[in-house]
Amino acid sequence: MRVRLVVTFVVVALISAVTATALAYRDARTAVLQRTQNAAVNDLRERVGVVAADVDLPPDERTLARFASKVSEGIGARIVVVRYQDLSATSDTLAETEGRITAELRAAVRAGSGARFQRVEWRGEPYLVVGLPVTYADGDRRTSGLEVFAITALRAERDDTAALLDSVRAGIVPVVVLAAVLALLAAGTVLRPVRKLGRATRELATGDLGSRVAVRGHDELADLARTFNETADALQASDAELRAQEAKARRFVADVSHELRTPLAAMTMVATVLEEDADQLPPDAARAARTVGAETARLSRLVDDLMEISRFDAKAVRLNASVTDLADTVRASLALRGWTDRVTAELRQGVRAVVDRRRVDVIVANLVGNALRHGAPPVTVTLAVDDGGEWVVLEVADHGPGLAPEARERVFDRFYKADAARTRSTDTGTDTGTDTGDRADSGDSGDSGGQGSGLGMAIALENARLHGGTIEVGQQPLGGAVFTLRLPLCTREEGE
């Protein structure tokens, strides 16, 4: 914007200077030529009136020559040409006049009764030629047949106007320089608050809601700065209110989840007793007892997941990291849930990294459990190291229908559940939860049939990010979803 403003100032100044120069040159040239022309016509008329009284008509060449000399002497030794019918005489016998007195001017003088003039260019030099017919002074306006022409050089006038043009041209440079300086000053005055406003806007966009700009003056920029500050105030107030509401919601979820644990523990014990004695109950009562047990377990997993999510939101989760063999961790996770025979594992040996073993177990349980529930066999788990040797790559792939594009975009959202038609309703009777005291695994980590809580993939991603990694979802060329876990390959514990 600074460049555009300077260029605009300079262009406007240049156009104004050139226009003023052109107008000044035109007016000055016109004034100089007009003055010279009027002086030449008046001088010739007055001198001819004085000298013509002593001329006898009809004149001979000698009389014409004397007449031309006297007229020339009276008007500043200009070249004078006198014509009478076929006779002609010149005040300067060596001067060439034919090229300077045109046929058009002679015809105009012969046909008229007053002075005529014409500016001509001859041999690169400008001249003013004035023609005048000689008339009788006794009231008879008829011409005497004498025609007088005076040739005046305009070199001095040309040089004067050229000098004026040069001086005006020389003045254009300081005018343009001054315009550029003024443009820079104006740009600084105008753009400085704009830059401050832009910097404050960028700070606001990066999350600094306390960013403000100083308001100076009462112009449009001051109004804009004032509006920005008002908008920032409103945004800061809204952000504070939303943060307060979010904190309240998180506390509410954490408190509710915590309060539900005690009654759920009692319900779980009762449900366990009922399930153990289900074979001794009538069929309907046995079915109800097993349903109560399954739903109680599902509710317990949901409460645990809510508790874990609330800890992530409160930034209260910490890693209990140590050097771990990841292949052993994956195999143990599959064996714990009885998935060893249902999953094809291709695990690179000797891959060790500093991780929280329990949280890696949660990630594996959620990814593999999701593939078993929603995909189709074979389900494969691959552990490798990337080409750069900086990342551990764990891929979990299935051969089911895969995920639609909109589902891939939202699969890690909390409580998001893909189309129920994708769910494979299998009843394996396997309890896939992990009981590790303070549980972190999702209710989605089991292959229990039906829908999970919708928190499993979100918890898996949070655990991956806690390690400095990430989880990506993609589609295999022949169908089926593939989830890729990337963790940084660290070989030493932090702090060693």
Side-chain angles (χ1 to χ4, degrees), residues 34-67:
Q34 187 69 37
R35 185 177 66 250
T36 302
Q37 169 190 307
N38 294 338
V41 171
N42 292 333
D43 291 346
L44 181 61
R45 184 182 289 116
E46 292 177 0
R47 186 60 180 169
V48 167
V50 172
V51 177
D54 298 332
V55 177
D56 295 329
L57 295 177
D60 54 16
E61 288 188 8
R62 190 173 183 178
T63 301
L64 289 179
R66 187 170 58 252
F67 181 40

PDB file of all heavy atoms in Angstrom, residues 34-67:
ATOM      1  N   GLN A  34       2.437  37.102 -30.181  1.00  0.00           N
ATOM      2  CA  GLN A  34       1.419  38.123 -30.388  1.00  0.00           C
ATOM      3  C   GLN A  34       2.023  39.522 -30.241  1.00  0.00           C
ATOM      4  O   GLN A  34       1.734  40.432 -31.029  1.00  0.00           O
ATOM      5  CB  GLN A  34       0.276  37.931 -29.388  1.00  0.00           C
ATOM      6  CG  GLN A  34      -0.935  38.844 -29.623  1.00  0.00           C
ATOM      7  CD  GLN A  34      -1.684  38.471 -30.892  1.00  0.00           C
ATOM      8  OE1 GLN A  34      -1.808  37.296 -31.228  1.00  0.00           O
ATOM      9  NE2 GLN A  34      -2.160  39.494 -31.629  1.00  0.00           N
ATOM     10  N   ARG A  35       2.857  39.664 -29.230  1.00  0.00           N
ATOM     11  CA  ARG A  35       3.501  40.962 -29.040  1.00  0.00           C
ATOM     12  C   ARG A  35       4.410  41.323 -30.218  1.00  0.00           C
ATOM     13  O   ARG A  35       4.399  42.454 -30.725  1.00  0.00           O
ATOM     14  CB  ARG A  35       4.311  40.943 -27.739  1.00  0.00           C
ATOM     15  CG  ARG A  35       4.922  42.299 -27.412  1.00  0.00           C
ATOM     16  CD  ARG A  35       5.658  42.265 -26.074  1.00  0.00           C
ATOM     17  NE  ARG A  35       6.818  41.384 -26.121  1.00  0.00           N
ATOM     18  CZ  ARG A  35       6.901  40.232 -25.480  1.00  0.00           C
ATOM     19  NH1 ARG A  35       5.878  39.826 -24.730  1.00  0.00           N
ATOM     20  NH2 ARG A  35       7.972  39.487 -25.570  1.00  0.00           N
ATOM     21  N   THR A  36       5.200  40.373 -30.670  1.00  0.00           N
ATOM     22  CA  THR A  36       6.096  40.613 -31.813  1.00  0.00           C
ATOM     23  C   THR A  36       5.286  40.894 -33.074  1.00  0.00           C
ATOM     24  O   THR A  36       5.629  41.790 -33.877  1.00  0.00           O
ATOM     25  CB  THR A  36       6.991  39.383 -32.020  1.00  0.00           C
ATOM     26  OG1 THR A  36       7.737  39.134 -30.826  1.00  0.00           O
ATOM     27  CG2 THR A  36       7.953  39.598 -33.180  1.00  0.00           C
ATOM     28  N   GLN A  37       4.220  40.154 -33.246  1.00  0.00           N
ATOM     29  CA  GLN A  37       3.379  40.337 -34.432  1.00  0.00           C
ATOM     30  C   GLN A  37       2.737  41.709 -34.437  1.00  0.00           C
ATOM     31  O   GLN A  37       2.760  42.424 -35.464  1.00  0.00           O
ATOM     32  CB  GLN A  37       2.305  39.240 -34.450  1.00  0.00           C
ATOM     33  CG  GLN A  37       1.193  39.436 -35.452  1.00  0.00           C
ATOM     34  CD  GLN A  37       0.070  38.449 -35.218  1.00  0.00           C
ATOM     35  OE1 GLN A  37       0.344  37.245 -35.168  1.00  0.00           O
ATOM     36  NE2 GLN A  37      -1.138  38.933 -35.062  1.00  0.00           N
ATOM     37  N   ASN A  38       2.161  42.112 -33.313  1.00  0.00           N
ATOM     38  CA  ASN A  38       1.514  43.432 -33.246  1.00  0.00           C
ATOM     39  C   ASN A  38       2.519  44.560 -33.476  1.00  0.00           C
ATOM     40  O   ASN A  38       2.248  45.552 -34.175  1.00  0.00           O
ATOM     41  CB  ASN A  38       0.830  43.610 -31.894  1.00  0.00           C
ATOM     42  CG  ASN A  38      -0.334  42.657 -31.716  1.00  0.00           C
ATOM     43  OD1 ASN A  38      -0.887  42.160 -32.701  1.00  0.00           O
ATOM     44  ND2 ASN A  38      -0.720  42.402 -30.470  1.00  0.00           N
ATOM     45  N   ALA A  39       3.710  44.391 -32.871  1.00  0.00           N
ATOM     46  CA  ALA A  39       4.737  45.424 -33.049  1.00  0.00           C
ATOM     47  C   ALA A  39       5.169  45.521 -34.498  1.00  0.00           C
ATOM     48  O   ALA A  39       5.359  46.632 -35.051  1.00  0.00           O
ATOM     49  CB  ALA A  39       5.924  45.123 -32.148  1.00  0.00           C
ATOM     50  N   ALA A  40       5.338  44.359 -35.153  1.00  0.00           N
ATOM     51  CA  ALA A  40       5.772  44.372 -36.557  1.00  0.00           C
ATOM     52  C   ALA A  40       4.726  45.010 -37.458  1.00  0.00           C
ATOM     53  O   ALA A  40       5.049  45.804 -38.367  1.00  0.00           O
ATOM     54  CB  ALA A  40       6.071  42.934 -36.998  1.00  0.00           C
ATOM     55  N   VAL A  41       3.456  44.674 -37.242  1.00  0.00           N
ATOM     56  CA  VAL A  41       2.385  45.240 -38.074  1.00  0.00           C
ATOM     57  C   VAL A  41       2.271  46.748 -37.873  1.00  0.00           C
ATOM     58  O   VAL A  41       2.185  47.541 -38.837  1.00  0.00           O
ATOM     59  CB  VAL A  41       1.051  44.533 -37.754  1.00  0.00           C
ATOM     60  CG1 VAL A  41      -0.112  45.267 -38.445  1.00  0.00           C
ATOM     61  CG2 VAL A  41       1.103  43.078 -38.197  1.00  0.00           C
ATOM     62  N   ASN A  42       2.291  47.202 -36.618  1.00  0.00           N
ATOM     63  CA  ASN A  42       2.165  48.638 -36.341  1.00  0.00           C
ATOM     64  C   ASN A  42       3.358  49.426 -36.882  1.00  0.00           C
ATOM     65  O   ASN A  42       3.197  50.518 -37.476  1.00  0.00           O
ATOM     66  CB  ASN A  42       2.021  48.860 -34.837  1.00  0.00           C
ATOM     67  CG  ASN A  42       0.710  48.324 -34.295  1.00  0.00           C
ATOM     68  OD1 ASN A  42      -0.280  48.241 -35.036  1.00  0.00           O
ATOM     69  ND2 ASN A  42       0.694  47.948 -33.023  1.00  0.00           N
ATOM     70  N   ASP A  43       4.561  48.860 -36.655  1.00  0.00           N
ATOM     71  CA  ASP A  43       5.752  49.563 -37.154  1.00  0.00           C
ATOM     72  C   ASP A  43       5.727  49.685 -38.676  1.00  0.00           C
ATOM     73  O   ASP A  43       6.038  50.758 -39.251  1.00  0.00           O
ATOM     74  CB  ASP A  43       7.025  48.822 -36.730  1.00  0.00           C
ATOM     75  CG  ASP A  43       7.266  48.918 -35.231  1.00  0.00           C
ATOM     76  OD1 ASP A  43       6.608  49.755 -34.581  1.00  0.00           O
ATOM     77  OD2 ASP A  43       8.101  48.134 -34.713  1.00  0.00           O
ATOM     78  N   LEU A  44       5.350  48.593 -39.357  1.00  0.00           N
ATOM     79  CA  LEU A  44       5.314  48.633 -40.820  1.00  0.00           C
ATOM     80  C   LEU A  44       4.251  49.600 -41.313  1.00  0.00           C
ATOM     81  O   LEU A  44       4.485  50.390 -42.250  1.00  0.00           O
ATOM     82  CB  LEU A  44       5.057  47.224 -41.361  1.00  0.00           C
ATOM     83  CG  LEU A  44       5.013  47.101 -42.889  1.00  0.00           C
ATOM     84  CD1 LEU A  44       6.352  47.516 -43.502  1.00  0.00           C
ATOM     85  CD2 LEU A  44       4.644  45.669 -43.309  1.00  0.00           C
ATOM     86  N   ARG A  45       3.078  49.581 -40.692  1.00  0.00           N
ATOM     87  CA  ARG A  45       2.012  50.470 -41.146  1.00  0.00           C
ATOM     88  C   ARG A  45       2.414  51.952 -40.970  1.00  0.00           C
ATOM     89  O   ARG A  45       2.197  52.787 -41.872  1.00  0.00           O
ATOM     90  CB  ARG A  45       0.736  50.167 -40.368  1.00  0.00           C
ATOM     91  CG  ARG A  45      -0.453  51.005 -40.861  1.00  0.00           C
ATOM     92  CD  ARG A  45      -1.698  50.716 -40.051  1.00  0.00           C
ATOM     93  NE  ARG A  45      -2.232  49.385 -40.331  1.00  0.00           N
ATOM     94  CZ  ARG A  45      -2.309  48.390 -39.465  1.00  0.00           C
ATOM     95  NH1 ARG A  45      -1.830  48.569 -38.235  1.00  0.00           N
ATOM     96  NH2 ARG A  45      -2.819  47.237 -39.795  1.00  0.00           N
ATOM     97  N   GLU A  46       2.952  52.268 -39.807  1.00  0.00           N
ATOM     98  CA  GLU A  46       3.337  53.660 -39.563  1.00  0.00           C
ATOM     99  C   GLU A  46       4.465  54.106 -40.496  1.00  0.00           C
ATOM    100  O   GLU A  46       4.447  55.228 -41.035  1.00  0.00           O
ATOM    101  CB  GLU A  46       3.785  53.822 -38.102  1.00  0.00           C
ATOM    102  CG  GLU A  46       2.646  53.664 -37.104  1.00  0.00           C
ATOM    103  CD  GLU A  46       3.133  53.746 -35.677  1.00  0.00           C
ATOM    104  OE1 GLU A  46       4.367  53.929 -35.486  1.00  0.00           O
ATOM    105  OE2 GLU A  46       2.311  53.599 -34.754  1.00  0.00           O
ATOM    106  N   ARG A  47       5.454  53.242 -40.696  1.00  0.00           N
ATOM    107  CA  ARG A  47       6.581  53.639 -41.544  1.00  0.00           C
ATOM    108  C   ARG A  47       6.165  53.780 -43.002  1.00  0.00           C
ATOM    109  O   ARG A  47       6.588  54.707 -43.699  1.00  0.00           O
ATOM    110  CB  ARG A  47       7.703  52.601 -41.413  1.00  0.00           C
ATOM    111  CG  ARG A  47       8.978  52.998 -42.151  1.00  0.00           C
ATOM    112  CD  ARG A  47       9.508  54.296 -41.602  1.00  0.00           C
ATOM    113  NE  ARG A  47      10.745  54.694 -42.311  1.00  0.00           N
ATOM    114  CZ  ARG A  47      11.317  55.874 -42.186  1.00  0.00           C
ATOM    115  NH1 ARG A  47      10.764  56.784 -41.374  1.00  0.00           N
ATOM    116  NH2 ARG A  47      12.447  56.142 -42.826  1.00  0.00           N
ATOM    117  N   VAL A  48       5.325  52.873 -43.461  1.00  0.00           N
ATOM    118  CA  VAL A  48       4.846  52.958 -44.843  1.00  0.00           C
ATOM    119  C   VAL A  48       4.028  54.229 -45.037  1.00  0.00           C
ATOM    120  O   VAL A  48       4.117  54.920 -46.063  1.00  0.00           O
ATOM    121  CB  VAL A  48       4.039  51.701 -45.208  1.00  0.00           C
ATOM    122  CG1 VAL A  48       3.274  51.910 -46.520  1.00  0.00           C
ATOM    123  CG2 VAL A  48       4.960  50.499 -45.332  1.00  0.00           C
ATOM    124  N   GLY A  49       3.222  54.585 -44.034  1.00  0.00           N
ATOM    125  CA  GLY A  49       2.425  55.818 -44.145  1.00  0.00           C
ATOM    126  C   GLY A  49       3.283  57.058 -44.274  1.00  0.00           C
ATOM    127  O   GLY A  49       2.910  58.032 -44.964  1.00  0.00           O
ATOM    128  N   VAL A  50       4.455  57.031 -43.641  1.00  0.00           N
ATOM    129  CA  VAL A  50       5.357  58.192 -43.713  1.00  0.00           C
ATOM    130  C   VAL A  50       6.103  58.238 -45.045  1.00  0.00           C
ATOM    131  O   VAL A  50       6.196  59.283 -45.718  1.00  0.00           O
ATOM    132  CB  VAL A  50       6.342  58.160 -42.529  1.00  0.00           C
ATOM    133  CG1 VAL A  50       7.403  59.245 -42.690  1.00  0.00           C
ATOM    134  CG2 VAL A  50       5.610  58.318 -41.212  1.00  0.00           C
ATOM    135  N   VAL A  51       6.627  57.084 -45.439  1.00  0.00           N
ATOM    136  CA  VAL A  51       7.483  57.039 -46.633  1.00  0.00           C
ATOM    137  C   VAL A  51       6.667  57.079 -47.923  1.00  0.00           C
ATOM    138  O   VAL A  51       7.090  57.657 -48.942  1.00  0.00           O
ATOM    139  CB  VAL A  51       8.384  55.798 -46.590  1.00  0.00           C
ATOM    140  CG1 VAL A  51       9.231  55.690 -47.862  1.00  0.00           C
ATOM    141  CG2 VAL A  51       9.266  55.834 -45.359  1.00  0.00           C
ATOM    142  N   ALA A  52       5.489  56.514 -47.949  1.00  0.00           N
ATOM    143  CA  ALA A  52       4.702  56.401 -49.187  1.00  0.00           C
ATOM    144  C   ALA A  52       4.271  57.755 -49.720  1.00  0.00           C
ATOM    145  O   ALA A  52       4.004  57.905 -50.920  1.00  0.00           O
ATOM    146  CB  ALA A  52       3.468  55.528 -48.916  1.00  0.00           C
ATOM    147  N   ALA A  53       4.211  58.787 -48.871  1.00  0.00           N
ATOM    148  CA  ALA A  53       3.781  60.113 -49.345  1.00  0.00           C
ATOM    149  C   ALA A  53       4.763  60.705 -50.345  1.00  0.00           C
ATOM    150  O   ALA A  53       4.400  61.571 -51.170  1.00  0.00           O
ATOM    151  CB  ALA A  53       3.624  61.045 -48.148  1.00  0.00           C
ATOM    152  N   ASP A  54       6.016  60.307 -50.345  1.00  0.00           N
ATOM    153  CA  ASP A  54       7.039  60.868 -51.240  1.00  0.00           C
ATOM    154  C   ASP A  54       7.279  60.003 -52.462  1.00  0.00           C
ATOM    155  O   ASP A  54       8.213  60.261 -53.238  1.00  0.00           O
ATOM    156  CB  ASP A  54       8.369  61.009 -50.470  1.00  0.00           C
ATOM    157  CG  ASP A  54       8.238  61.972 -49.295  1.00  0.00           C
ATOM    158  OD1 ASP A  54       7.392  62.877 -49.364  1.00  0.00           O
ATOM    159  OD2 ASP A  54       8.976  61.775 -48.283  1.00  0.00           O
ATOM    160  N   VAL A  55       6.477  58.969 -52.660  1.00  0.00           N
ATOM    161  CA  VAL A  55       6.663  58.066 -53.790  1.00  0.00           C
ATOM    162  C   VAL A  55       5.777  58.516 -54.949  1.00  0.00           C
ATOM    163  O   VAL A  55       4.577  58.737 -54.772  1.00  0.00           O
ATOM    164  CB  VAL A  55       6.336  56.618 -53.393  1.00  0.00           C
ATOM    165  CG1 VAL A  55       6.466  55.696 -54.615  1.00  0.00           C
ATOM    166  CG2 VAL A  55       7.263  56.151 -52.272  1.00  0.00           C
ATOM    167  N   ASP A  56       6.425  58.685 -56.111  1.00  0.00           N
ATOM    168  CA  ASP A  56       5.680  59.052 -57.315  1.00  0.00           C
ATOM    169  C   ASP A  56       5.186  57.796 -57.999  1.00  0.00           C
ATOM    170  O   ASP A  56       5.920  56.790 -58.108  1.00  0.00           O
ATOM    171  CB  ASP A  56       6.577  59.838 -58.282  1.00  0.00           C
ATOM    172  CG  ASP A  56       7.004  61.184 -57.701  1.00  0.00           C
ATOM    173  OD1 ASP A  56       6.210  61.741 -56.921  1.00  0.00           O
ATOM    174  OD2 ASP A  56       8.140  61.618 -58.009  1.00  0.00           O
ATOM    175  N   LEU A  57       3.970  57.866 -58.441  1.00  0.00           N
ATOM    176  CA  LEU A  57       3.356  56.748 -59.135  1.00  0.00           C
ATOM    177  C   LEU A  57       3.181  57.097 -60.610  1.00  0.00           C
ATOM    178  O   LEU A  57       2.831  58.252 -60.932  1.00  0.00           O
ATOM    179  CB  LEU A  57       2.002  56.413 -58.513  1.00  0.00           C
ATOM    180  CG  LEU A  57       2.051  55.902 -57.063  1.00  0.00           C
ATOM    181  CD1 LEU A  57       0.636  55.689 -56.553  1.00  0.00           C
ATOM    182  CD2 LEU A  57       2.844  54.621 -56.969  1.00  0.00           C
ATOM    183  N   PRO A  58       3.399  56.198 -61.497  1.00  0.00           N
ATOM    184  CA  PRO A  58       3.881  54.841 -61.246  1.00  0.00           C
ATOM    185  C   PRO A  58       5.375  54.852 -60.984  1.00  0.00           C
ATOM    186  O   PRO A  58       6.105  55.636 -61.589  1.00  0.00           O
ATOM    187  CB  PRO A  58       3.545  54.107 -62.523  1.00  0.00           C
ATOM    188  CG  PRO A  58       3.560  55.154 -63.589  1.00  0.00           C
ATOM    189  CD  PRO A  58       3.093  56.426 -62.951  1.00  0.00           C
ATOM    190  N   PRO A  59       5.894  54.019 -60.061  1.00  0.00           N
ATOM    191  CA  PRO A  59       7.311  54.019 -59.704  1.00  0.00           C
ATOM    192  C   PRO A  59       8.133  53.159 -60.660  1.00  0.00           C
ATOM    193  O   PRO A  59       7.605  52.284 -61.345  1.00  0.00           O
ATOM    194  CB  PRO A  59       7.320  53.411 -58.307  1.00  0.00           C
ATOM    195  CG  PRO A  59       6.184  52.459 -58.346  1.00  0.00           C
ATOM    196  CD  PRO A  59       5.124  53.082 -59.221  1.00  0.00           C
ATOM    197  N   ASP A  60       9.430  53.418 -60.709  1.00  0.00           N
ATOM    198  CA  ASP A  60      10.357  52.554 -61.434  1.00  0.00           C
ATOM    199  C   ASP A  60      11.130  51.734 -60.412  1.00  0.00           C
ATOM    200  O   ASP A  60      10.925  51.857 -59.195  1.00  0.00           O
ATOM    201  CB  ASP A  60      11.285  53.389 -62.312  1.00  0.00           C
ATOM    202  CG  ASP A  60      12.009  54.472 -61.524  1.00  0.00           C
ATOM    203  OD1 ASP A  60      12.023  54.379 -60.260  1.00  0.00           O
ATOM    204  OD2 ASP A  60      12.551  55.393 -62.127  1.00  0.00           O
ATOM    205  N   GLU A  61      12.066  50.912 -60.895  1.00  0.00           N
ATOM    206  CA  GLU A  61      12.809  50.036 -59.981  1.00  0.00           C
ATOM    207  C   GLU A  61      13.644  50.844 -59.006  1.00  0.00           C
ATOM    208  O   GLU A  61      13.792  50.477 -57.839  1.00  0.00           O
ATOM    209  CB  GLU A  61      13.710  49.092 -60.781  1.00  0.00           C
ATOM    210  CG  GLU A  61      12.939  48.008 -61.530  1.00  0.00           C
ATOM    211  CD  GLU A  61      13.876  46.993 -62.141  1.00  0.00           C
ATOM    212  OE1 GLU A  61      15.104  47.047 -61.866  1.00  0.00           O
ATOM    213  OE2 GLU A  61      13.389  46.117 -62.867  1.00  0.00           O
ATOM    214  N   ARG A  62      14.178  51.946 -59.458  1.00  0.00           N
ATOM    215  CA  ARG A  62      15.011  52.761 -58.587  1.00  0.00           C
ATOM    216  C   ARG A  62      14.188  53.353 -57.457  1.00  0.00           C
ATOM    217  O   ARG A  62      14.616  53.402 -56.290  1.00  0.00           O
ATOM    218  CB  ARG A  62      15.663  53.868 -59.419  1.00  0.00           C
ATOM    219  CG  ARG A  62      16.735  54.631 -58.693  1.00  0.00           C
ATOM    220  CD  ARG A  62      17.402  55.554 -59.657  1.00  0.00           C
ATOM    221  NE  ARG A  62      18.478  56.260 -59.014  1.00  0.00           N
ATOM    222  CZ  ARG A  62      19.286  57.139 -59.626  1.00  0.00           C
ATOM    223  NH1 ARG A  62      19.116  57.365 -60.942  1.00  0.00           N
ATOM    224  NH2 ARG A  62      20.246  57.754 -58.971  1.00  0.00           N
ATOM    225  N   THR A  63      13.013  53.819 -57.801  1.00  0.00           N
ATOM    226  CA  THR A  63      12.117  54.391 -56.784  1.00  0.00           C
ATOM    227  C   THR A  63      11.699  53.315 -55.781  1.00  0.00           C
ATOM    228  O   THR A  63      11.656  53.562 -54.565  1.00  0.00           O
ATOM    229  CB  THR A  63      10.868  54.992 -57.443  1.00  0.00           C
ATOM    230  OG1 THR A  63      11.284  56.009 -58.370  1.00  0.00           O
ATOM    231  CG2 THR A  63       9.924  55.593 -56.427  1.00  0.00           C
ATOM    232  N   LEU A  64      11.439  52.128 -56.294  1.00  0.00           N
ATOM    233  CA  LEU A  64      11.037  51.027 -55.388  1.00  0.00           C
ATOM    234  C   LEU A  64      12.172  50.654 -54.452  1.00  0.00           C
ATOM    235  O   LEU A  64      11.958  50.384 -53.263  1.00  0.00           O
ATOM    236  CB  LEU A  64      10.608  49.802 -56.201  1.00  0.00           C
ATOM    237  CG  LEU A  64       9.274  49.911 -56.969  1.00  0.00           C
ATOM    238  CD1 LEU A  64       9.007  48.631 -57.750  1.00  0.00           C
ATOM    239  CD2 LEU A  64       8.128  50.203 -56.036  1.00  0.00           C
ATOM    240  N   ALA A  65      13.393  50.637 -54.952  1.00  0.00           N
ATOM    241  CA  ALA A  65      14.533  50.294 -54.114  1.00  0.00           C
ATOM    242  C   ALA A  65      14.734  51.332 -53.018  1.00  0.00           C
ATOM    243  O   ALA A  65      15.025  50.993 -51.858  1.00  0.00           O
ATOM    244  CB  ALA A  65      15.799  50.171 -54.974  1.00  0.00           C
ATOM    245  N   ARG A  66      14.595  52.621 -53.380  1.00  0.00           N
ATOM    246  CA  ARG A  66      14.737  53.672 -52.388  1.00  0.00           C
ATOM    247  C   ARG A  66      13.609  53.579 -51.343  1.00  0.00           C
ATOM    248  O   ARG A  66      13.827  53.762 -50.143  1.00  0.00           O
ATOM    249  CB  ARG A  66      14.729  55.039 -53.076  1.00  0.00           C
ATOM    250  CG  ARG A  66      15.041  56.191 -52.127  1.00  0.00           C
ATOM    251  CD  ARG A  66      15.266  57.506 -52.874  1.00  0.00           C
ATOM    252  NE  ARG A  66      14.130  57.874 -53.683  1.00  0.00           N
ATOM    253  CZ  ARG A  66      14.129  57.809 -55.023  1.00  0.00           C
ATOM    254  NH1 ARG A  66      15.205  57.374 -55.683  1.00  0.00           N
ATOM    255  NH2 ARG A  66      13.056  58.173 -55.719  1.00  0.00           N
ATOM    256  N   PHE A  67      12.412  53.265 -51.785  1.00  0.00           N
ATOM    257  CA  PHE A  67      11.253  53.125 -50.900  1.00  0.00           C
ATOM    258  C   PHE A  67      11.484  51.977 -49.905  1.00  0.00           C
ATOM    259  O   PHE A  67      11.276  52.106 -48.700  1.00  0.00           O
ATOM    260  CB  PHE A  67      10.011  52.894 -51.752  1.00  0.00           C
ATOM    261  CG  PHE A  67       8.745  52.747 -50.946  1.00  0.00           C
ATOM    262  CD1 PHE A  67       8.497  53.533 -49.828  1.00  0.00           C
ATOM    263  CD2 PHE A  67       7.785  51.789 -51.294  1.00  0.00           C
ATOM    264  CE1 PHE A  67       7.323  53.390 -49.116  1.00  0.00           C
ATOM    265  CE2 PHE A  67       6.623  51.648 -50.580  1.00  0.00           C
ATOM    266  CZ  PHE A  67       6.381  52.446 -49.478  1.00  0.00           C
TER     267      PHE A  67
END
